[in-house]
Amino acid sequence: SCWPGRMSLLSYVQRVVIPIRNHNGTDAASYLQNGVTNIRSTTTNYDEVLGLVRGTRLEGRWPDIIAHFITGCALRLNPEKKHKEQAWQHMAQLMELFHKEWTEAKGQLEGNVWLLPLLLFFLRYNRITAEEVTAFAGVEVADDSPLTKACERTRRYMSECLQADRTLDVQQSIRYGFLEIVNTLFKLYFKGNTINLGTPVVATVESEKKRDPTWFDNFPKQQQVTYWFYAGRIAMYNGKTADATKCLQDAFTNCPQRYKKNKTNILVYLVTVRLNQGFFPTPGLLETYGLAEQFHDLCTAVKLGHIKLFEASLQKHQIWFIQKGIFVTLQKCKIICYRNVVFKTWQTLNAETKEDLNARLKMHYIQTALLAIGVAEEDTSLPEIESIVCNLIWAKYLSGYVAHGAKCVVLNKKGAFPVPQLE
């Protein structure tokens, strides 16, 4: 077969075969990756490709592995459901054959370190193919779904890479692939909406970091940033604000400026988690990363305690927020709006009278403020406002207690509006 304007299929196969014979996994993975753009949807005859690879006299399982990869990539280019499913079947067979090769190599003198670049490459395509067949075929995530199977194949290498010979330098052993495998798992978990499965994985990484503080620094910065990003989102999912803030801040700080799209994506979640603690991004930061349209009015509403503007902003960009997975988290910011309404009510009254308002703030003052900013009358009854104030106290946005009989909130004189604490 010949690809017009590009190398022939035979030339491509010959390029891949040489580094495999020489046990040069880095070059083999590089040639496989570079050749993906050459693969045409017409190269879907597995037997034909296999015969071509065997003609190079490559031994063992490698002809089948390469043939499955080429055929699978060719089938992926076809948008029809059956071709996506066939591509997944070729990937499944490739991964099983490679696993046998990987296992056998461990018993050889050279070991399986040279196979690590190929392992990471195939795990990446295992994930991509699983995601594509799920998206195109509408397969639900179940015990036997492509995403679940892809997770299983990826997970079996994670502990093996972590527990490999610790006497060797990380970068000279299969331990070097551990963090990329973890990140591949995270991507699969988020795609399959099984985020909870990422929690024990994060715990494993953090435990290893405590055992050896310098261990994490051995991995490529790209993989570190990816880990921080997903670990931060998993912490958000688990309600661990402090962990989420630290991870996302590390990801944003360490992501090179030239990767602006990635920094923007990180910032979406960093702004969200900080907003829930009452901290606001500068308008310039939002403008720089093209997020002013989605977040400017929302942040202004939370800062001013403008409930109506907050709800309108949330509704206007609801689809975008849902797609990013932050809509529910942003809804929780409404309580900060109420906190700021109470604060500004207290601040205004304190400026206009000499009475000691640090001790008591009547509920009808808060009611008047809410009505003034357009909150519906049915949502501003005194029992409703009392309930809101109780929630503010419980969430530690307000320090004091509700005096039900006196229809007021008794505020703490030493700090009625404490600075939110990260959990």
Side-chain angles (χ1 to χ4, degrees):
S1 299
C2 186
W3 297 322
R6 307 193 183 189
M7 74 178 84
S8 68
L9 177 56
L10 178 59
S11 298
Y12 171 53
V13 168
Q14 288 173 336
R15 277 195 177 186
V16 172
V17 164
I18 294 171
I20 290 177
R21 276 209 190 97
N22 296 331
H23 288 194
N24 185 337
T26 301
D27 283 354
S30 177
Y31 287 144
L32 282 170
Q33 175 63 57
N34 293 337
V36 168
T37 55
N38 291 309
I39 293 174
R40 292 285 182 267
S41 59
T42 53
T43 319
T44 56
N45 188 318
Y46 171 76
D47 291 332
E48 179 185 337
V49 177
L50 180 61
L52 196 63
V53 182
R54 283 179 174 168
T56 64
R57 298 186 180 181
L58 187 64
E59 298 177 348
R61 302 180 184 90
W62 287 108
D64 294 272
I65 291 172
I66 295 171
H68 279 303
F69 176 75
I70 293 174
T71 309
C73 285
L75 287 164
R76 281 180 52 224
L77 297 175
N78 196 307
E80 291 186 21
K81 175 182 175 181
K82 67 175 183 179
H83 289 99
K84 296 292 181 183
E85 292 173 343
Q86 288 170 5
W88 172 246
Q89 293 303 320
H90 280 286
M91 181 55 68
Q93 292 179 64
L94 181 158
M95 293 304 297
E96 288 306 312
L97 288 168
F98 182 82
H99 184 65
K100 292 177 182 178
E101 199 71 31
W102 172 270
T103 304
E104 286 184 7
K106 287 190 292 185
Q108 298 172 5
L109 182 64
E110 188 178 359
N112 55 6
V113 178
W114 78 273
L115 287 171
L116 183 61
L118 284 165
L119 170 66
L120 300 176
F121 175 78
F122 287 141
L123 286 178
R124 196 178 314 130
Y125 270 86
N126 177 56
R127 173 184 63 81
I128 292 170
T129 309
E131 290 175 355
E132 286 183 350
V133 72
T134 300
F136 278 85
V139 179
E140 294 184 3
V141 178
D143 291 343
D144 60 345
S145 69
L147 287 176
T148 303
K149 290 295 184 182
C151 286
E152 291 174 358
R153 291 175 193 145
T154 305
R155 202 159 38 227
R156 65 185 175 186
Y157 293 102
M158 188 181 76
S159 59
E160 186 177 338
C161 287
L162 179 62
Q163 301 302 328
D165 190 350
R166 293 176 183 271
T167 62
L168 297 174
D169 183 78
V170 171
Q171 297 184 10
Q172 302 301 318
S173 74
I174 62 171
R175 294 174 66 204
Y176 193 58
F178 172 74
L179 197 60
E180 184 169 339
I181 292 172
V182 164
N183 291 333
T184 299
L185 267 179
F186 285 158
K187 291 172 184 178
L188 287 166
Y189 289 153
F190 273 86
K191 183 64 70 171
N193 198 27
T194 52
I195 304 172
N196 59 302
L197 297 178
T199 303
V201 179
V202 172
T204 299
V205 177
E206 295 305 313
S207 175
E208 191 68 18
K209 286 167 71 176
K210 289 179 181 178
R211 194 192 67 81
D212 180 2
T214 64
W215 166 79
F216 193 75
D217 297 331
N218 287 291
F219 298 103
K221 186 65 72 175
Q222 174 189 356
Q223 297 303 328
Q224 293 180 32
V225 170
T226 304
Y227 169 78
W228 283 321
F229 172 68
Y230 283 107
R233 291 187 62 187
I234 290 169
M236 283 179 65
Y237 173 83
N238 291 323
K240 295 182 177 180
T241 312
D243 291 343
T245 301
K246 184 180 184 308
C247 286
L248 291 168
Q249 187 65 63
D250 285 345
F252 184 75
T253 303
N254 287 279
C255 183
Q257 193 63 43
R258 64 181 180 274
Y259 298 115
K260 189 173 181 180
K261 183 178 178 180
N262 291 345
K263 287 183 77 78
T264 300
N265 200 29
I266 296 167
L267 190 61
V268 167
Y269 300 96
L270 183 58
V271 167
T272 299
V273 74
R274 295 300 276 157
L275 197 56
N276 261 275
Q277 286 296 321
F279 296 95
F280 306 93
T282 62
L285 183 66
L286 295 177
E287 286 286 351
T288 298
Y289 290 96
L291 296 173
E293 181 182 351
Q294 292 87 355
F295 283 105
H296 181 269
D297 287 350
L298 193 69
C299 291
T300 301
V302 175
K303 188 182 293 185
L304 299 178
H306 201 309
I307 309 293
K308 197 169 182 179
L309 177 61
F310 173 79
E311 292 177 339
S313 301
L314 206 59
Q315 182 65 33
K316 181 179 179 181
H317 301 289
Q318 181 177 351
I319 294 175
W320 190 83
F321 291 143
I322 290 174
Q323 289 172 340
K324 291 293 183 181
I326 58 175
F327 182 72
V328 173
T329 306
L330 288 173
Q331 281 183 311
K332 297 176 183 177
C333 293
K334 191 172 184 178
I335 193 171
I336 304 177
C337 288
Y338 283 118
R339 181 261 188 201
N340 289 339
V341 168
V342 175
F343 172 72
K344 290 184 181 297
T345 302
W346 169 82
Q347 195 177 47
T348 301
L349 292 172
N350 197 42
E352 293 181 356
T353 179
K354 295 180 181 180
E355 295 180 16
D356 184 9
L357 293 178
N358 282 321
R360 290 171 177 266
L361 179 61
K362 295 186 179 295
M363 294 295 180
H364 76 81
Y365 289 150
I366 302 173
Q367 182 184 48
T368 301
L370 288 171
L371 287 169
I373 59 175
V375 178
E377 192 170 337
E378 59 266 23
D379 295 329
T380 57
S381 64
L382 290 179
E384 182 72 24
I385 292 172
E386 190 172 299
S387 175
I388 291 169
V389 172
C390 285
N391 283 330
L392 287 170
I393 294 171
W394 178 82
K396 299 180 181 179
Y397 288 111
L398 195 63
S399 180
Y401 65 90
V402 172
H404 179 71
K407 296 182 179 179
C408 70
V409 55
V410 181
L411 300 169
N412 186 340
K413 291 184 179 181
K414 294 183 179 180
F417 300 90
V419 176
Q421 298 296 312
L422 297 178
E423 297 178 359

